[in-house]
Amino acid sequence: MKFSYKILLCSIMTMAMALGVGGYFFVNNVFEASIEREVGQAMDENSILQFAFETAALNIPSKYDMLQNSAIKEIGSSLEKGGQGTGRLLRLSDENREILYASEGFVEDTALVSGIGEQTRAYQVIFVDGHYYIQTGAVLHALDRVLYLETMRNVTEVYAERARGFDVYRRLTLVLLVLSSVVLFFFSSWITRPIRLLTQAARKMTAGDYSYRAEQVSHDEMGQLTRDFNHMAGVLEENIHQLEEEVRAREDFIAAFSHELKTPLTAVIGYADMLRSRKLDEEKHFLSANYIYTEGKRLEAMSLRLLDIIVTKRWEIEPQEVPVEVFYSYLRELYAEKSGSDFVFTYEPGSVRAEVDLIKSVLLNLVDNACKASEEGDRVEILGHRQEEGYFFAVKDYGVGIPAGELKKITEAFYMVDKSRSRSHNGAGLGLALCGEILKLHGSSLKIESTPGEGSCFGFWLPTGGCPENTEGGTRAQGTLLPGEA
Ligand code: ADP
């Protein structure tokens, strides 16, 4: 059964019970008050008759010492006649409860008079021939006689009134229930509307529409529930998109990986087949073997890089406070013997919190890329700048640059802007992916600025350590623009 119908049914049942019980008590209360009033009047009537009888008995001329039965009957008859038109019924009994006089229609039962004592007056409600009566009984002293006077008062109208009251109340209850059912129907559907909207939203989301949100139609607990549901849906949607993104990236990675593996392997297999199947002259033999060697080396480099990335992804770092000079002197020593580019170091002294070897690897990759992108003799700048939020490292070159559309993709594994140029430098598009992973471990990321034909600048922030070291080589060239200062 629908929740709104349950609310409707419960409300109707409660209302029906409340109206029924309330109505019953109300009508019954009125009835009891009326009966009490009628009993009072019946008892008063009995007292008046008693008084009238005694007066009449005193006025009867006494031939004998005792009040004769015939005189009693006579007084009884005259009392009944005196009350004609009022429906007064009376009965007179002697000391032995023998009936001396009874109005026509008076009940034959003498149980009430049998129970009356000297000092008592009694009454009871009786039902005779479809009529209700209040029967009263009292002891009567007339001269030397002790008599019993009983009266009967018709109260059928009071009972009929009660029946009419119940009937009217029943009809009223029915009308009220029908009217309130209509109102309650709309009320219960209004109150359960947020639930219907939530169900609809849940179904839409189950069907794949993750962006669907439940409409909030109230500001009570149901409104709060809708807000919480929508918030939960938002978090879920974000997680789902993230998972989808991760799955896509993984698929791209696998596709790129197989491609990167297949290309050098095809060449290696081709050259190896040529070497084993025919006799080549010395020069061709050397070229083939060299090709196999270079491609083999490239595959080796690629597998080492991949291993680095996988290891880095599962790693927790233990950062230490390192003077930045450590990195600059490492690069200076490494590239001192390599000719081809003009390396310029412009940096401020300082210290950072980092894993030395990992950051060395990042800087090495960036300088390597800068060299690969530059022409022979071009300047490559290694820059360092200290600010309140951290220390900024940058590698700037004046080489080929990167088109704006490619900037986002170059940190993806296996992505190369110019494949043949990268491959000719033993590249496999894994260097920046590795840099990204290492910087992620340090809570940082790569900042890239590049203009095709003019050059690129790759930089990243690291948290600064304690007091800056006063390094010997720490110089800052005048007029050099660092990315952090732009
Ligand atoms: P690779 O091993 O090919 O160098 P990377 O992940 O380091 O792989 O770089 C991805 C691609 O980004 C490179 O193939 C190159 O096309 C481009 N790239 C990286 N650094 C630079 C740079 N300084 N100037 C121009 N292009 C660059």
Side-chain angles (χ1 to χ4, degrees):
M1 189 195 264
K2 274 188 174 180
F3 186 55
S4 61
Y5 292 165
K6 283 184 186 168
I7 294 179
L8 182 66
L9 206 72
C10 286
S11 311
I12 290 174
M13 272 160 58
T14 314
M15 271 193 72
M17 255 156 59
L19 285 172
V21 174
Y24 173 80
F25 278 110
F26 175 70
V27 175
N28 225 39
N29 253 20
V30 173
F31 166 76
E32 271 169 14
S34 303
I35 279 287
E36 223 168 273
R37 198 179 54 242
E38 291 291 332
V39 167
Q41 281 177 4
M43 296 306 267
D44 289 349
E45 205 173 58
N46 189 303
S47 303
I48 291 164
L49 280 174
Q50 210 176 327
F51 182 69
F53 187 94
E54 284 165 0
T55 316
L58 285 173
N59 291 334
I60 287 177
S62 53
K63 288 184 207 160
Y64 312 98
D65 293 344
M66 276 179 62
L67 184 63
Q68 296 299 307
N69 283 353
S70 57
I72 292 169
K73 283 180 193 165
E74 209 174 300
I75 297 170
S77 161
S78 73
L79 285 177
E80 189 193 336
K81 278 193 196 115
Q84 246 169 19
T86 59
R88 176 191 292 166
L89 296 175
L90 59 97
R91 183 164 71 179
L92 288 160
S93 314
D94 64 9
E95 293 80 353
N96 302 319
R97 272 84 167 173
E98 291 293 327
I99 295 164
L100 299 175
Y101 176 81
S103 306
E104 200 185 321
F106 205 98
V107 67
E108 281 169 20
D109 182 39
T110 57
L112 184 74
V113 83
S114 313
I116 299 173
E118 263 294 304
Q119 304 296 325
T120 48
R121 278 143 56 95
Y123 80 89
Q124 66 179 12
V125 178
I126 52 171
F127 184 68
V128 183
D129 298 333
H131 293 278
Y132 287 93
Y133 295 92
I134 294 173
Q135 185 185 358
T136 63
V139 181
L140 175 65
H141 296 274
L143 299 179
D144 51 347
R145 299 285 301 265
V146 176
L147 302 169
Y148 294 95
L149 171 68
E150 290 172 88
T151 62
M152 266 172 67
R153 185 180 171 82
N154 194 337
V155 289
T156 312
E157 191 49 34
V158 178
Y159 279 83
E161 227 166 73
R162 180 173 73 161
R164 271 200 301 278
F166 279 140
D167 192 45
V168 168
Y169 213 87
R170 240 192 322 273
R171 285 163 199 261
L172 195 71
T173 304
L174 213 68
V175 172
L176 278 175
L177 281 180
V178 170
L179 288 178
S180 54
S181 299
V182 176
V183 176
L184 279 169
F185 176 77
F186 289 109
F187 178 71
S188 62
S189 4
W190 172 73
I191 221 167
T192 53
R193 186 158 175 247
I195 299 177
R196 284 198 303 280
L197 291 171
L198 276 176
T199 314
Q200 189 182 359
R203 284 190 185 148
K204 287 251 184 195
M205 287 184 71
T206 313
D209 188 355
Y210 302 121
S211 59
Y212 193 87
R213 295 289 176 273
E215 189 191 340
Q216 189 187 335
V217 287
S218 64
H219 296 282
D220 51 11
E221 287 91 332
M222 292 309 288
Q224 183 61 46
L225 178 65
T226 309
R227 265 201 303 281
D228 289 347
F229 177 88
N230 284 344
H231 177 69
M232 183 193 74
V235 173
L236 280 179
E237 188 188 5
E238 217 169 275
N239 285 349
I240 287 167
H241 283 157
Q242 210 170 315
L243 280 175
E244 281 174 351
E245 194 56 36
E246 270 175 31
V247 169
R248 192 194 64 78
R250 205 159 290 178
E251 280 171 2
D252 287 355
F253 180 89
I254 292 166
F257 176 64
S258 11
H259 179 77
E260 282 309 306
L261 209 62
K262 219 177 106 200
T263 320
L265 276 179
T266 316
V268 167
I269 293 165
Y271 278 108
D273 190 40
M274 213 157 75
L275 281 176
R276 70 168 191 169
S277 55
R278 67 189 113 112
K279 195 150 174 57
L280 300 169
D281 60 49
E282 208 167 307
E283 195 192 339
K284 278 189 180 155
H285 186 96
F286 173 76
L287 282 176
S288 304
N290 190 45
Y291 200 90
I292 292 171
Y293 176 79
T294 8
E295 287 303 293
K297 277 304 242 187
R298 210 161 76 75
L299 276 175
E300 185 193 35
M302 192 173 79
S303 66
L304 287 175
R305 275 279 164 78
L306 262 179
L307 204 66
D308 280 349
I309 293 176
I310 291 163
V311 170
T312 313
K313 272 194 176 183
R314 293 181 187 163
W315 217 18
E316 290 268 316
I317 56 157
E318 281 174 20
Q320 292 162 351
E321 196 173 325
V322 201
V324 289
E325 183 57 32
V326 170
F327 304 113
Y328 297 121
S329 46
Y330 166 73
L331 290 175
R332 220 184 271 121
E333 273 166 32
L334 201 73
Y335 286 99
E337 288 141 33
K338 289 190 188 174
S339 55
S341 296
D342 170 20
F343 295 101
V344 180
F345 288 78
T346 311
Y347 61 91
E348 285 178 334
S351 64
V352 290
R353 289 197 60 75
E355 273 255 357
V356 182
D357 289 340
L358 292 180
I359 298 303
K360 275 183 184 171
S361 172
V362 173
L363 286 167
L364 188 68
N365 268 297
L366 297 183
V367 176
D368 243 6
N369 280 352
C371 294
K372 284 187 223 166
S374 308
E375 292 296 322
E376 232 185 286
D378 277 356
R379 193 148 61 115
V380 172
E381 294 172 10
I382 293 120
L383 312 164
H385 177 56
R386 197 178 68 238
Q387 271 190 355
E388 255 179 42
E389 57 265 52
Y391 195 94
F392 191 76
F393 289 93
V395 178
K396 193 171 164 71
D397 67 65
Y398 297 88
V400 288
I402 306 158
E406 311 273 354
L407 280 179
K408 273 195 168 173
K409 301 182 208 161
I410 56 169
T411 46
E412 288 173 18
F414 299 111
Y415 194 83
M416 291 169 268
V417 179
D418 183 345
K419 285 193 172 54
S420 57
R421 190 186 168 93
S422 291
R423 284 199 186 114
S424 70
H425 287 103
N426 257 354
L430 290 172
L432 291 181
L434 178 65
C435 293
E437 290 301 328
I438 292 174
L439 290 175
K440 212 195 279 179
L441 285 175
H442 287 79
S444 181
S445 60
L446 269 179
K447 314 263 178 273
I448 311 166
E449 281 175 14
S450 186
T451 313
E454 286 184 21
S456 318
C457 183
F458 285 70
F460 58 91
W461 288 96
L462 280 183
T464 35
C467 291
E469 303 278 322
N470 197 4
T471 34
E472 270 174 33
T475 52
R476 172 143 184 210
Q478 287 280 314
T480 310
L481 181 71
L482 299 176
E485 294 172 335

